[in-house]
Amino acid sequence: AQARPPALAATLTERGAARAVAVAHAAMPDKSDNPMRQIKVEKLTLNISVGESGDRLTRAAKVLEQLTEQQPVFTKCRLTIRSFGVRRNE
């Protein structure tokens, strides 16, 4: 048998490796059948932090209501924290 030039030998081994990868890839199961790979959005939470009560809070509530067509839920502060500038039940 004749000795192949190094460039041709490298090309043949690359082709063989590419074929081996293609055969191995074809033998793998289809990943799209896995139900855990499907993307589902179950819940979306929107939040507007106004920082104060009054007119700005009611306007933010109207914006949320227009976006979602649902009643917004208001969360009030449980404690007064002076360093944050929040008061209880505000």
Side-chain angles (χ1 to χ4, degrees):
Q2 290 179 329
R4 293 188 181 125
L8 184 59
T11 305
L12 290 176
T13 55
E14 288 173 7
R15 285 185 194 163
R19 282 189 193 135
V21 168
V23 168
H25 193 63
M28 292 178 68
D30 188 20
K31 290 185 178 182
S32 63
D33 294 339
N34 187 346
M36 295 299 286
R37 292 182 63 90
Q38 296 177 2
I39 299 172
K40 295 179 188 175
V41 178
E42 291 186 15
K43 182 191 277 189
L44 179 67
T45 304
L46 299 177
N47 180 25
I48 297 181
S49 298
V50 179
E52 59 187 55
S53 59
D55 187 44
R56 288 185 64 195
L57 185 61
T58 55
R59 282 189 285 153
K62 286 180 185 176
V63 169
L64 275 177
E65 193 171 347
Q66 289 172 354
L67 283 173
T68 62
E69 298 175 357
Q70 295 179 4
Q71 264 321 94
V73 175
F74 295 96
T75 306
K76 296 188 177 190
C77 184
R78 284 185 246 151
L79 300 171
T80 299
I81 305 172
R82 295 187 115 201
S83 60
F84 291 161
V86 293
R87 295 188 200 129
R88 185 172 189 225
N89 291 328
E90 192 174 285

